[in-house]
Amino acid sequence: MIHYRKDTDNIATVILDMSGRSGNLLNHEIVAAFAPVIEHLKEEKQAGKLNGVIITSAKQDFLESGDLDYLYRLEDPARAFEASQQLKQFLRDLEVPGVPVAAAINGDALGTGFELTLACHYRIAIADSKMRLGHPEVKIGLIPSGGAVIRLMWLLGIERAYPLLLEGRRYSPQEALKVGLVDELAEDRSDMLSKAKKWLLEHHDVRRTWDDPDGKIPGGTAADPNLGHRIRLLTARLSAKTNDLYPAKRAIIDLLAEGSKLDFTTAYRLDSRYYARVATDPVTKNMISTYWFDKQAVRGGVGRPKGFGKFRARRVGVIGAGMMGSGIAFLCLRNGFDVILKDVSQPIADRGKEYVADKIDEYIERGTFQPEEREKLLDRITTTNNSDLFDNCDIVVEAVFENKSVKTKVTREAEEHLDEYSIFGTNTLSIPITELAKETLRPENYVGLHFFSPAEKTSVVEVVKGEQTSDETVARAFDFAISIRKLPIVVKDSWGFFAARVLNTYILEGVTMLNEGYPAALIENMGRQAGMKSGPLAMADDLGLKLVMRYEQQAADHYGKRYKQHPAVPALIKVKDDLERSGKSKRAGFYNYELNGNSRLWSDLEKHFPVTKDDYDRRRMKHRFLFAQVIEAGWCLQEGVIEHIEAANLASVYGWGFPGYTGGVMRYIYSYGHENFLDRCAELKERYGQRFTVPRYVKELDMDSLTPKRL
């Protein structure tokens, strides 16, 4: 569990090595195992036999985060408070044994794993750009449980600590050094231990700033008028951005403000109270369920056809050097692949490489890449206007604009140079994969790979299986997505696939409200207040009204006689055709768009859609937005468009921005309450029509299927 050794300079090295596990986990077991170690360190110090302590790991990772299975099931705030207090006491015992302690970080240290390093007086990390450090807890709805908010405030000051905690980024060692999370970098393990020992021998009497009677928080406290004003501005911006729907994010800024006015011991205890409240909040349960358990399930193979070995691509072809294609090329380079980037002319292909170079420079500036890596990365991308360079590619991804004939042409040109084992992926928004595959040489090797924009930042990829796409090709596409750090969502080749089909219901509901006489600004604000990343009219413009209508036409073709026209259609036709305002690409839709990127609702909108509603039920408006999407997702699951709840949740929160605090389209039913959800749908159906009919799949849904399974 824990190995202890001491050298002739009286430097003790404590090595974390949990038995029976691939990595170390900071839980009650390791805390209990540390107790006698702490006592021994105190005895050694009192006897004058100890000059310092190095804490490191025998595993590939330094220390993993806490037990999320336990946290998900933790309902009692009092128990959460006590658990936090126990962890805090352990960390306090570590940082005040009377000797300097250095963390020698040889691998990933995230969450509670990084809390251990913060309790050390000095932090040295190996300069491995693949390592990740920091506090990503907010990404799953939590705040750190061991006092990291208070420690970082004392180490860095409120204004530097706040973004580190709020963004929940995982930092490379180089980035961590820049932002002040670590103190020094080392070349390798030997260098790291040597530097740790050197620092310990040079710093005999160390004391944490918060334990010094004269110690002060860098930059001041919230009691200072100027800083207090800036904190209020930060709080207002956070509320405007999140509508206070994320308890963890609000807790961070509130805790920093309150804790800065208190002594360390009191603030440390206050931190536990905030943690207990956040950890037992229903929003946190939703987010842990989806952003951790569902994500791990998909990474573990949910949706991947079974019986096929792992596909390991080495060389990737990308057709189309626009922002999407160049973003995909960058993703592949970042994850170790050689890339052939093709476009219609060499200059256009070269511009794609320039886009990739700019992205690499951004990552160098952040510290994710090192300057010496730049040329090595760029040497692995070859630009061309000739398809014959695809001859050694394991997979080719086409990312040209949404035109069937163009996609068919570039696919056939590339396929002539691919062998029978290579697969071909098309990045399409709306053209059926089965239809495109009819023009290919090997339809069984042809698959949809729908990347969301921007490709290098979004987390999911829809893997679309056409009628002739083989299971092996789907499995290979799934593996490729995993290899470039995406979450593959396997869907059937149906109109709009999954993401666009469900998102369209949000857009259509917003347009319907406009037609009903609701003010456009109110509609947009209610969409954002429901938790969507933007209003439905803005999303309509982004997608383009032509595409919004295409999806509705595809729905009509799909359902035939059973199709009932959505009440938004007449309004869409009016704006797109009669008023000739087709969306953002034409700088005119529901909004007007300026060349500098600014946009504003079209001032004449009210002239064509008069406001007749002077009494608004805001709660009902929000429910219409969210319920429409949940119901459509239910139809997709019933029709087999998507087969797994975990994938549906992830596609919704990562793909089109369904509110993250809900945990996703299907988890929303769990948090709302199944019976309550069905009753509310009945009310909406009676008031607004058949589109709020609940599919049988949702009516018969077992709530246990919406709770995470132990991993």
Side-chain angles (χ1 to χ4, degrees):
M1 180 73 76
I2 295 177
H3 305 294
Y4 177 92
R5 64 173 183 241
K6 190 170 69 171
D7 63 18
T8 55
D9 291 310
N10 287 332
I11 299 296
T13 302
V14 177
I15 304 170
L16 308 177
D17 190 9
M18 291 185 74
S19 57
R21 297 183 62 91
S22 59
N24 296 309
L25 176 69
L26 186 54
N27 58 12
H28 62 282
E29 292 179 25
I30 202 164
V31 168
F34 242 112
V37 176
I38 296 290
E39 288 304 312
H40 181 70
L41 292 174
K42 290 178 179 178
E43 292 170 5
E44 290 276 273
K45 173 60 178 177
Q46 290 170 358
K49 298 179 180 179
L50 193 63
N51 290 325
V53 179
I54 298 172
I55 298 180
T56 191
S57 168
K59 307 287 189 184
Q60 185 174 354
D61 292 340
F62 178 79
L63 193 61
E64 297 176 15
S65 192
D67 188 342
L68 288 172
D69 186 80
Y70 166 78
L71 273 176
Y72 176 79
R73 288 162 176 79
L74 182 61
E75 302 288 347
D76 182 5
R79 286 183 60 193
F81 176 82
E82 287 304 320
S84 178
Q85 284 292 96
Q86 288 173 12
L87 175 60
K88 285 182 169 69
Q89 186 58 55
F90 157 63
L91 296 174
R92 278 302 271 164
D93 288 343
L94 180 66
E95 71 183 354
V96 287
V99 295
V101 182
I105 309 169
N106 59 291
D108 290 356
L110 296 165
T112 48
F114 196 72
E115 299 232 44
L116 177 63
T117 74
L118 286 177
C120 299
H121 304 93
Y122 199 67
R123 289 169 297 286
I124 303 174
I126 295 176
D128 179 357
S129 60
K130 294 180 181 179
M131 275 171 49
R132 290 295 177 264
L133 314 170
H135 283 287
E137 289 95 332
V138 73
K139 296 280 192 179
I140 55 171
L142 284 166
I143 65 172
S145 59
V149 176
I150 304 302
R151 282 191 175 86
L152 285 172
M153 176 182 71
W154 274 90
L155 286 169
L156 305 175
I158 293 175
E159 291 181 286
R160 288 180 62 197
Y162 174 64
L164 300 186
L165 292 160
L166 186 74
E167 294 171 9
R169 275 188 55 197
R170 301 162 189 258
Y171 294 91
S172 69
Q174 293 83 358
E175 291 172 307
L177 182 67
K178 278 188 177 183
V179 299
L181 290 176
V182 299
D183 300 296
E184 190 176 358
L185 299 182
E187 294 180 6
D188 52 32
R189 186 180 184 87
S190 175
D191 184 43
M192 173 184 65
L193 294 174
S194 175
K195 286 181 174 178
K197 180 176 178 177
K198 181 176 182 293
W199 185 86
L200 291 170
L201 291 174
E202 292 174 352
H203 297 81
H204 300 293
D205 185 20
V206 292
R207 180 181 297 185
R208 308 313 303 259
T209 307
W210 45 88
D211 289 326
D212 186 338
D214 297 322
K216 293 182 179 180
I217 297 172
T221 74
D224 300 331
N226 289 336
L227 181 56
H229 175 66
R230 292 198 296 275
I231 290 172
R232 287 191 291 275
L233 288 176
L234 289 173
T235 305
R237 287 174 192 154
L238 178 65
S239 293
K241 186 175 181 180
T242 67
N243 291 291
D244 290 328
L245 294 170
Y246 296 84
K249 293 185 176 184
R250 183 55 186 262
I252 289 169
I253 188 67
D254 288 348
L255 179 54
L256 287 168
E258 289 185 55
S260 70
K261 301 174 187 177
L262 304 170
D263 62 272
F264 181 84
T265 301
T266 307
Y268 206 48
R269 186 175 179 85
L270 178 67
D271 180 282
S272 293
R273 295 196 179 280
Y274 269 93
Y275 171 76
R277 189 177 70 195
V278 170
T280 54
D281 192 288
V283 168
T284 304
K285 307 304 182 188
N286 290 339
M287 295 183 71
I288 291 175
S289 176
T290 298
Y291 289 98
W292 176 255
F293 287 99
D294 288 354
K295 184 183 287 188
Q296 296 306 311
V298 169
R299 283 176 174 165
V302 162
R304 184 188 189 275
K306 300 184 183 302
F308 302 100
K310 186 174 181 180
F311 174 65
R312 295 178 175 85
R314 292 167 300 175
R315 188 180 175 96
V316 179
V318 179
I319 303 175
M323 287 184 64
M324 178 61 76
S326 299
I328 295 169
F330 171 75
L331 273 173
C332 294
L333 282 183
R334 185 184 178 189
N335 290 284
F337 299 113
D338 293 334
V339 176
I340 305 296
L341 180 60
K342 176 188 177 293
D343 214 305
V344 292
S345 71
Q346 189 67 44
I348 294 176
D350 289 340
R351 282 205 298 270
K353 186 172 181 177
E354 290 171 9
Y355 178 92
V356 172
D358 289 342
K359 284 293 170 187
I360 292 172
D361 290 340
E362 285 180 26
Y363 278 66
I364 290 173
E365 180 66 26
R366 286 166 44 178
T368 306
F369 293 144
Q370 300 312 299
E372 60 270 19
E373 294 180 273
R374 187 180 193 275
E375 293 309 313
K376 292 179 182 177
L377 286 165
L378 290 175
D379 284 347
R380 296 211 319 270
I381 183 170
T382 302
T383 58
T384 184
N385 62 348
N386 197 330
S387 296
D388 60 8
L389 292 186
F390 290 142
D391 59 352
N392 288 320
C393 287
D394 303 294
I395 177 172
V396 172
V397 181
E398 165 266 300
V400 301
F401 59 91
E402 198 76 350
N403 180 286
K404 181 183 175 182
S405 61
V406 174
K407 286 181 178 290
T408 298
K409 180 177 182 293
V410 299
T411 300
R412 290 296 293 267
E413 289 175 353
E415 279 188 311
E416 292 176 359
H417 302 281
L418 300 178
D419 62 32
E420 60 185 295
Y421 302 106
S422 300
I423 64 172
F424 195 101
T426 176
N427 181 61
T428 177
L429 289 167
S430 61
I431 306 173
I433 304 303
T434 301
E435 188 177 317
L436 289 170
K438 290 176 182 177
E439 306 298 326
T440 66
L441 298 176
R442 287 179 289 276
E444 68 278 5
N445 290 10
Y446 191 80
V447 66
L449 281 174
H450 175 212
F451 288 81
F452 296 82
S453 183
E456 63 271 20
K457 291 183 179 179
T458 51
S459 297
V460 298
V461 171
E462 284 186 310
V463 177
V464 189
K465 181 180 181 181
E467 289 180 7
Q468 296 187 65
T469 308
S470 70
D471 283 348
E472 184 174 11
T473 296
V474 173
R476 289 183 169 195
F478 189 104
D479 293 344
F480 170 68
I482 290 288
S483 70
I484 57 173
R485 305 185 202 182
K486 297 292 184 184
L487 295 167
I489 308 300
V490 178
V491 300
K492 188 173 73 174
D493 185 21
S494 181
W495 65 278
F497 310 137
F498 175 67
R501 172 173 167 176
V502 180
L503 171 61
N504 221 41
T505 62
Y506 171 61
I507 292 171
L508 294 173
E509 204 60 36
V511 175
T512 300
M513 289 180 186
L514 184 71
N515 211 30
E516 289 172 353
Y518 287 91
L522 176 71
I523 294 167
E524 297 295 83
N525 285 333
M526 285 302 102
R528 288 190 292 268
Q529 287 183 32
M532 297 294 291
K533 63 182 180 181
S534 63
L537 305 181
M539 280 197 174
D541 280 357
D542 283 343
L543 194 59
L545 272 59
K546 181 179 179 181
L547 195 50
V548 173
M549 281 298 299
R550 183 187 299 173
Y551 289 136
E552 189 61 14
Q553 182 57 52
Q554 288 175 342
D557 296 341
H558 177 77
Y559 289 114
K561 293 180 180 179
R562 293 179 295 152
Y563 170 74
K564 293 185 183 299
Q565 187 184 78
H566 198 287
V569 169
L572 283 167
I573 292 173
K574 181 177 181 178
V575 175
K576 181 177 74 73
D577 297 336
D578 299 347
L579 301 175
E580 298 181 339
R581 299 179 66 87
S582 58
K584 188 174 182 178
S585 64
K586 300 296 184 182
R587 292 173 43 209
F590 293 104
Y591 285 72
N592 276 333
Y593 298 88
E594 299 175 11
L595 289 174
N596 61 9
N598 292 333
S599 62
R600 181 174 295 183
L601 279 165
W602 183 32
S603 58
D604 286 348
L605 205 53
E606 192 173 326
K607 186 185 303 181
H608 299 281
F609 296 95
V611 174
T612 59
K613 300 285 187 182
D614 55 9
D615 183 25
Y616 318 126
D617 186 331
R618 288 167 168 77
R619 183 168 177 266
R620 187 187 298 139
M621 291 177 73
K622 293 176 187 177
H623 281 172
R624 288 175 65 178
F625 287 139
L626 300 183
F627 277 51
Q629 297 175 74
V630 174
I631 289 169
E632 194 64 35
W635 285 112
C636 288
L637 282 156
Q638 182 166 306
E639 295 171 9
V641 174
I642 192 167
E643 296 185 352
H644 299 279
I645 285 172
E646 300 95 332
N649 284 332
L650 289 169
S652 65
V653 296
Y654 282 128
W656 71 84
F658 191 81
Y661 72 90
T662 69
V665 280
M666 302 311 293
R667 176 73 191 189
Y668 181 75
I669 299 172
Y670 181 89
S671 56
Y672 194 89
H674 193 207
E675 290 303 318
N676 291 337
F677 180 82
L678 297 179
D679 290 344
R680 186 60 165 164
C681 285
E683 294 174 21
L684 293 172
K685 179 180 177 181
E686 183 177 355
R687 184 180 290 267
Y688 299 109
Q690 288 295 113
R691 66 185 182 279
F692 288 101
T693 300
V694 180
R696 185 185 68 257
Y697 181 95
V698 173
K699 289 180 180 177
E700 299 174 356
L701 194 61
D702 180 359
M703 288 297 98
D704 285 343
S705 66
L706 297 175
T707 59
K709 307 300 182 289
R710 293 178 185 271
L711 296 177

